[in-house]
Amino acid sequence: MSDYGHELRFGSFLTPSVHDPDQVVALAELTETAGLDLVTFQDHPYNAEFLDTWTLLSWVAARTERLRISGNVLSLPLRPPAVLARAAASLDRLSHGRFELGLGAGAFWDGIEGMGARRLTAGQGVAALREAIDLLRGVWDDTVDGPLRLDGEYYPVPGMQRGPKPAHDIDIWLGAYQPKMLALTGQKANGWLPTLEYLRSPDRVTANRLIDEAAVAAGREPREIRRLLNLFKVDVSSRSRGFLQGPVEQWVDQLLPLVLEEGFSTFLIGRDDPRLIQTLGQEIAPALREAVAKERAGGEAGTGPVRTTVALAARHPGLDYDALPASLATRSVEPGDPEYERVRHTYSWHGSPALVIRPQNAAEVVDAVSYARSQKVPLSVRSGGHGISGRSTNDGGVVIDMSRMNRVEVLDRATRRVRLEPGARWGDVAQALAPYGLAMSSGDYGDVGVGGLATTAGVGYLARKHGLTIDHVVAAEIVTADGRLLRVDDEQHPDLFWAVRGAGGNFGVVTALELEAYEVDNVVYAQLVADATDTAQLLRRWGQLVEDAPRELTSFLSLFPGRRGNPPAAQVTLVYAGDDVEAAQSALSPFLEIGPILDQQAQLVPYPAIVVPPGNQHRGQGLKDTRSGLLHHVTPQAADLMEHMIHSGDVMIMQLRSVGGAVNDVARDATAYPHREQNFSVLAATVPDRRPQLDKLWAELYAHLDGLYLSFESDTDPARLLDAWPEPTLGRLRAIKATYDPDNVFNRNFPIPPAGPVD
Ligand SMILES: Cc1cc2nc3c(=O)[nH]c(=O)nc-3n(C[C@H](O)[C@H](O)[C@H](O)COP(=O)(O)OP(=O)(O)OC[C@H]3O[C@@H](n4cnc5c(N)ncnc54)[C@H](O)[C@@H]3O)c2cc1C
């Protein structure tokens, strides 16, 4: 008999009566406004008196904002699991992670058979449910490549596409009473969902024991299984003083042992009674929470996240997990946790960190930095996970993952002041600013995070008109290596503020940035595909046209080697910052002369449309061997060398991006990005086994380059520091590093050695 330490949840279990659908929905809405956590509906598809449960769940999800929703329980024989998996994931995505799956093996077999499904014995029903759970989880698992195949007896799957992935890890709760079902609950489910009235107290104790034993035998922790309970015969106005038949205090007294001695943590009342729903939310739930908290305060029940025995075994020996502050216990993901696969890698790098901490506010970042420093392991900081130079994952270390701090706020429309948290993606920033008629140029890829990009430069689609992203940063909040949370701007810690704009990853964890956005609505977005057989000529013409173009025009050019008998190709993106279509046309049309055009299109679109986040799962899939340089002009010699590169077949992609324009209006020493005379950024990328060839080719181009953009460079040779920050910038950065991070805690992105006493 034990308390499993789960946080308490309360909800309703409503009758999906077909006769008054509005009343059903109103009770669901009341469940939310009363402050409850969960609304559930029974599922009897053979009963014509009931609304179809799935349709009702979808409707209620759309009418509520916070409530979790679940069938209680869905009838598996009439909900084929392959379709159910997709429906569940879809509803979970539509409701932003609020769907949970209550599931049963089937009851009322006459009705089920009458609808054409096969009648199963109790044993067969359990076996079918076991297969269904594997199928559901297999469909939702996007960490496995290839189709899902299951050799099931009841639900064979010869080969189906996986996905969609739900918005969160959907819980599977089983309505179970018999030993085999209880064992299955312990082996595979996330929750047990019986009805109190069907189980006497000794039966509940036995059932809990069977679940626990099955869990342990399956290598799980009994705490992994939440215990939920439906309560039907309940009342607050009754004077009978029977079980849950009396005032609030009596409820609290009677529910308390169910929590502390029997481990139940979710209570669902099966009465369509608005007054009772309200009382549960406003009086009973808070009172029981308080009573339980008081009892637990001195007790032994763990209240942190539930970690499986398998997860505990997967912990890294080099990290003291018990030293993690309580504030971060529910924020961390360990190897072996279900979410680990999703947080271990980044877009370009594979990793196997010992711990990923996902703080939700600056105070938690302070705790995370101080914990990480106490451990002698690598520390990575991650925002969007698109770092190329920045290694925002590691092996055996700690990752502070800022993805949950992702708010975008317009602080003042008049001054165009906006506040961005680092975990926001640039595509989301564009979406959030657009209703205010504001934008902030970032890059070409909406999935890139604010934290990494806005601390190095930000070479975006509006660069020539509006400059780099960092040029608009007016203040930053940063947690430094000594655990201080500082606000830095032109007045406060101006040296650190300077360093954050170009070398931010070396100085701490940025928890927020304030920027001055600018007014942009629509832009003209054009794409050309050109035959790049004569690569050098195409590059020269493009380079000259870019330099001659009005500042409204920014262009990115990607070169791909010829494959399978096709010539090399160039994809040119042209963005005109404004909706003057005629002016855009005259700026764009000269580019039709850069070479033989194979395809072209242009459209007037809102700015967010050109930075839509693709929302990829990060698996280290990006090209990680990249070289970066900056060019003043696309000279004939540089163009010839770049042609040689792309024709060699050893380079997978080259990209040239226009900088120049407003980027070069900023003084060289105004920020820690000192490259204010160049007009182009050049990047070449390849696969690992061609890296030596790339280096050889790059060495030839190097003489024509002047500096590099560190966010596009994966070479870790310290000699490249001077390319990123030519003197006096590097010297100034080293001195500031010695003040704010003398122990070089933040050393995973072009690490700057702190200036020493002899420097
Ligand atoms: C597909 C792709 C497209 C890109 N396109 C562009 C582009 O168009 N223009 C452009 O300028 N760049 C572009 N980049 C480069 C990109 O700007 C950098 O890689 C940037 O670091 C990514 O930011 P992130 O937050 O997603 O990265 P992360 O991987 O999360 O972080 C990278 C590094 O930034 C630092 N960092 C991250 N968060 C913080 C924080 N909160 N505080 C302090 N330091 C932090 C850390 O050192 C970290 O290692 C692109 C990269 C990719 C992979």
Side-chain angles (χ1 to χ4, degrees):
M1 304 266 272
S2 60
D3 172 12
Y4 299 96
H6 297 129
E7 76 176 293
L8 296 190
R9 290 185 195 149
F10 300 86
S12 60
F13 181 1
L14 304 176
T15 315
S17 167
V18 81
H19 300 293
D20 195 353
D22 290 343
Q23 170 69 2
V24 183
V25 175
L27 286 174
E29 288 171 332
L30 177 68
T31 304
E32 178 161 274
T33 49
L36 297 173
D37 309 292
L38 175 65
V39 64
T40 66
F41 303 98
Q42 52 189 302
D43 184 38
H44 297 290
Y46 30 78
N47 188 338
E49 299 293 307
F50 288 161
L51 294 161
D52 169 62
T53 306
W54 195 266
T55 311
L56 179 61
L57 286 168
S58 309
W59 188 275
V60 166
R63 297 283 291 262
T64 52
E65 288 180 357
R66 192 186 47 76
L67 269 191
R68 288 168 202 257
I69 41 181
S70 174
N72 189 348
V73 287
L74 293 179
S75 172
L76 177 64
L78 292 171
R79 306 269 173 203
V83 180
L84 180 61
R86 295 233 210 278
S90 303
L91 188 50
D92 195 52
R93 290 176 86 108
L94 287 165
S95 65
H96 302 288
R98 293 191 285 127
F99 178 74
E100 312 292 358
L101 184 54
L103 203 53
F108 306 101
W109 285 100
D110 289 347
I112 292 172
E113 205 173 26
M115 289 182 82
R118 180 181 153 198
R119 181 185 286 269
L120 301 179
T121 64
Q124 289 171 328
V126 178
L129 183 53
R130 180 184 299 278
E131 282 183 17
I133 294 174
D134 290 343
L135 199 167
L136 287 155
R137 296 224 171 97
V139 173
W140 296 335
D141 186 356
D142 71 340
T143 62
V144 183
D145 290 328
L148 174 70
R149 296 182 214 283
L150 290 174
D151 190 16
E153 188 185 338
Y154 301 92
Y155 302 114
V157 178
M160 73 178 275
Q161 261 187 356
R162 293 173 196 267
K165 185 167 88 74
H168 84 301
D169 286 327
I170 295 178
D171 270 4
I172 297 180
W173 302 327
L174 300 187
Y177 298 92
Q178 300 306 323
K180 278 190 187 156
M181 275 290 282
L182 293 164
L184 179 62
T185 308
Q187 288 154 3
K188 286 187 183 281
N190 310 99
W192 175 42
L193 177 49
T195 293
L196 179 90
E197 285 76 11
Y198 300 162
L199 284 172
R200 292 173 308 120
S201 173
D203 298 338
R204 295 197 298 271
V205 174
T206 310
N208 260 328
R209 185 175 46 76
L210 290 176
I211 293 172
D212 291 355
E213 285 171 1
V216 171
R220 305 179 76 201
E221 254 257 27
R223 270 190 82 210
E224 287 175 51
I225 301 128
R226 177 176 277 273
R227 321 290 154 128
L228 307 92
L229 198 57
N230 294 320
L231 308 165
F232 278 97
K233 290 193 191 133
V234 289
D235 201 347
V236 269
S237 47
S238 161
R239 286 161 194 255
S240 77
R241 295 277 161 179
F243 190 72
L244 304 184
Q245 303 279 326
V248 170
E249 314 80 66
Q250 183 186 327
W251 276 64
V252 173
D253 287 347
Q254 293 176 337
L255 288 177
L256 198 58
L258 284 177
V259 177
L260 300 176
E261 291 166 26
E262 298 193 26
F264 289 98
S265 55
T266 301
F267 299 101
L268 303 165
I269 48 163
R271 290 270 317 275
D272 302 316
D273 175 350
R275 192 167 149 238
L276 185 54
I277 291 173
Q278 202 119 24
T279 310
L280 181 68
Q282 288 170 3
E283 296 182 46
I284 297 169
L288 184 63
R289 282 198 172 104
E290 200 185 317
V292 168
K294 214 179 278 169
E295 294 292 332
R296 280 179 177 170
E300 306 215 322
T303 49
V306 180
R307 287 235 146 74
T308 64
T309 326
V310 177
L312 293 174
R315 286 180 159 182
H316 278 247
L319 199 77
D320 182 359
Y321 290 86
D322 294 334
L324 191 69
S327 62
L328 301 176
T330 55
R331 312 285 193 240
S332 61
V333 183
E334 299 179 5
D337 283 350
E339 285 189 277
Y340 186 70
E341 272 312 306
R342 257 180 265 152
V343 298
R344 63 184 296 184
H345 308 304
T346 67
Y347 181 77
S348 293
W349 302 102
H350 291 112
S352 51
L355 192 70
V356 177
I357 303 173
R358 294 180 294 183
Q360 298 202 341
N361 53 52
E364 290 178 4
V365 176
V366 170
D367 288 350
V369 169
S370 127
Y371 169 74
R373 284 204 68 174
S374 72
Q375 306 293 307
K376 303 284 171 258
V377 295
L379 167 63
S380 298
V381 178
R382 179 190 305 165
S383 287
H386 273 83
I388 296 170
S389 61
R391 271 50 167 192
S392 53
T393 188
N394 56 49
D395 293 323
V398 172
V399 174
I400 300 179
D401 176 331
M402 302 295 288
S403 59
R404 291 192 167 165
M405 291 181 64
N406 57 9
R407 264 175 305 182
V408 178
E409 286 169 87
V410 174
L411 298 177
D412 181 6
R413 175 61 183 86
T415 56
R416 306 184 308 278
R417 184 71 71 100
V418 301
R419 182 175 191 276
L420 309 180
E421 287 187 339
R425 309 300 176 112
W426 286 104
D428 299 328
V429 174
Q431 280 287 354
L433 299 187
Y436 298 87
L438 297 175
M440 175 52 56
S441 178
S442 51
D444 59 350
Y445 205 70
D447 236 9
V448 166
V450 165
L453 181 137
T455 50
T456 50
V459 175
Y461 277 144
L462 310 175
R464 291 184 76 239
K465 171 75 177 160
H466 293 289
L468 302 174
T469 311
I470 55 165
D471 299 339
H472 299 270
V473 174
V474 290
E477 289 157 31
I478 182 168
V479 174
T480 47
D482 56 5
R484 281 183 298 163
L485 171 62
L486 303 177
R487 182 181 166 89
V488 299
D489 55 24
D490 279 335
E491 319 263 284
Q492 309 168 70
H493 306 281
D495 50 349
L496 185 54
F497 179 50
W498 173 85
V500 162
R501 291 169 296 156
N506 262 280
F507 291 92
V509 185
V510 169
T511 55
L513 291 159
E514 279 179 30
L515 298 96
E516 215 165 82
Y518 28 80
E519 281 162 12
V520 174
D521 280 325
N522 293 327
V523 298
V524 177
Y525 178 75
Q527 280 201 308
L528 309 176
V529 178
D531 178 331
T533 306
D534 194 346
T535 312
Q537 175 171 280
L538 181 138
L539 288 175
R540 282 195 314 273
R541 286 185 181 164
W542 174 82
Q544 194 56 56
L545 286 170
V546 168
E547 287 196 49
D548 293 344
R551 282 181 168 206
E552 279 72 18
L553 192 108
T554 295
S555 181
F556 291 5
L557 182 152
S558 302
L559 279 175
F560 303 93
R563 294 270 184 251
R564 292 188 211 94
N566 291 317
Q571 188 184 57
V572 180
T573 302
L574 300 148
V575 177
Y576 185 88
D579 51 12
D580 181 342
V581 177
E582 257 176 53
Q585 207 168 4
S586 69
L588 299 177
S589 49
F591 286 84
L592 292 171
E593 308 297 323
I594 56 170
I597 300 296
L598 306 175
D599 193 13
Q600 55 164 304
Q601 48 174 299
Q603 47 192 322
L604 183 67
V605 290
Y607 176 69
I610 65 174
V611 283
V612 177
N616 295 333
Q617 160 82 19
H618 290 171
R619 297 190 171 111
Q621 68 270 49
L623 282 174
K624 43 188 102 358
D625 289 293
T626 64
R627 294 294 170 267
S628 162
L630 295 162
L631 273 175
H632 288 259
H633 310 286
V634 183
T635 59
Q637 298 89 328
D640 286 347
L641 289 167
M642 288 190 275
E643 170 170 306
H644 179 47
M645 259 189 201
I646 208 72
H647 285 248
S648 71
D650 290 323
V651 172
M652 300 302 125
I653 181 172
M654 292 192 68
Q655 282 185 335
L656 283 84
R657 300 171 184 230
S658 47
V659 274
V663 175
N664 294 352
D665 290 345
V666 175
R668 190 181 159 84
D669 61 357
T671 65
Y673 178 89
H675 312 291
R676 301 296 185 165
E677 286 164 4
Q678 299 85 331
N679 284 301
F680 301 97
S681 145
V682 185
L683 168 150
T686 196
V687 287
D689 61 354
R690 306 271 175 100
R691 191 190 312 146
Q693 290 90 326
L694 171 64
D695 280 336
K696 196 158 166 283
L697 292 161
W698 193 256
E700 291 166 17
L701 184 65
Y702 188 76
H704 301 267
L705 301 171
D706 179 8
L708 62 78
Y709 174 30
L710 75 91
S711 271
F712 286 153
E713 177 61 66
S714 68
D715 190 357
T716 51
D717 184 344
R720 312 292 327 260
L721 285 177
L722 274 171
D723 291 331
W725 299 298
E727 295 295 4
T729 309
L730 183 59
R732 194 171 162 189
L733 284 169
R734 290 191 61 196
I736 299 170
K737 180 88 173 169
T739 306
Y740 291 97
D741 185 16
D743 299 329
N744 208 358
V745 173
F746 299 103
N747 59 11
R748 308 276 303 168
N749 190 5
F750 264 66
I752 297 170
V758 289
D759 287 304

